[in-house]
Amino acid sequence: MQNIETQRLRLRHFIEADAQGLLEYLRQPRVNCFLDDKINTLQEAQLKIQKRSKDDSYIAVCLKDTNELIGELFALKEEPDTYCVGWNFNARFEGKGYASESVQALFQYLFTQMQARRLYAYVEDDNYRSQKLCERFKMRQEGCFVEFVSMTTYEDGTPKYENTFQYALLKKEWLQHQSM
């Protein structure tokens, strides 16, 4: 992936210096879908950074002025022209429009540079912030998968199955909204 700059952000590959920032938001994932990414130490963060730095699917979102890591995007390609997209941000930077700004840049990149035809995202039914973000970009809710996946357990150890929405957007819809 090429570096992308927005008004306030830089989207780039992960680098070694991102370990502390990654630890900050993966130490306590706020949504269950990121529980598998949970880390507890700087060493674990450094190992995860090494893997992500070699994987174009993961994109570090950094403040342009300081290069501080504030979150990440991902875009997993499915042949021939579809991407599963998602995001995870440090709560300390919420409410400033950074998620919207970075997702706008990601969608633009995928549709115009990577020739994506379709993007989709899975969002848990209690993740209201991500639902609003999808809706802000005119992604349509295509369905709700009832008790779709279990990322965690209840206190008694039984799996907690979560309802998951699928949102999607076609390139032609994106282009239409961009021209308005």
Side-chain angles (χ1 to χ4, degrees):
M1 187 206 87
Q2 66 187 29
N3 286 350
I4 299 170
E5 291 197 359
T6 68
Q7 182 179 353
R8 302 176 297 165
L9 303 173
R10 180 174 292 118
L11 282 57
R12 59 163 172 75
H13 284 100
F14 280 88
I15 59 173
E16 236 178 83
D18 294 331
Q20 186 61 48
L22 187 73
L23 178 61
E24 190 173 330
Y25 67 86
L26 287 184
R27 181 178 279 150
Q28 293 183 329
R30 295 182 307 145
V31 292
N32 290 338
C33 67
F34 294 112
L35 288 176
D36 284 347
D37 280 337
K38 183 177 177 168
I39 54 178
N40 295 304
T41 67
L42 190 57
Q43 184 178 13
E44 289 175 319
Q46 291 164 337
L47 290 172
K48 198 167 282 285
I49 292 288
Q50 286 176 3
K51 290 178 185 173
R52 289 188 179 176
S53 69
K54 298 174 185 144
D55 185 348
D56 280 343
S57 314
Y58 288 92
I59 303 155
V61 179
C62 307
L63 295 176
K64 191 187 229 179
D65 295 341
T66 63
N67 210 28
E68 179 181 4
L69 179 71
I70 64 167
E72 64 189 73
L73 305 170
F74 63 82
L76 307 170
K77 185 170 186 184
E78 297 176 8
E79 293 299 335
D81 53 12
T82 297
Y83 287 82
C84 177
V85 297
W87 39 84
N88 190 10
F89 284 88
N90 186 325
R92 190 163 51 94
F93 297 95
E94 270 184 9
K96 298 179 177 159
Y98 294 137
S100 292
E101 189 173 326
S102 62
V103 169
Q104 168 80 25
L106 175 66
F107 284 15
Q108 181 72 25
Y109 171 75
L110 292 173
F111 283 132
T112 62
Q113 303 297 309
M114 302 305 293
Q115 303 309 311
R117 179 188 58 83
R118 184 176 194 274
L119 307 179
Y120 72 91
Y122 290 122
V123 180
E124 293 88 349
D125 67 351
D126 61 353
N127 186 349
Y128 304 113
R129 286 184 177 273
S130 284
Q131 290 171 32
K132 284 183 179 181
L133 189 58
C134 289
E135 292 162 5
R136 184 173 298 126
F137 288 101
K138 307 296 185 206
M139 295 181 88
R140 98 190 126 271
Q141 188 184 109
E142 293 188 323
C144 178
F145 299 97
V146 178
E147 295 187 10
F148 182 55
V149 67
S150 175
M151 307 279 186
T152 189
T153 59
Y154 291 106
E155 286 182 20
D156 67 2
T158 59
K160 177 184 177 189
Y161 288 97
E162 299 185 85
N163 298 335
T164 304
F165 295 120
Q166 181 172 329
Y167 287 87
L169 181 66
L170 298 174
K171 181 177 184 175
K172 63 186 175 185
E173 295 166 329
W174 170 261
L175 293 172
Q176 180 182 353
H177 295 301
Q178 295 304 297
S179 66
M180 294 178 158

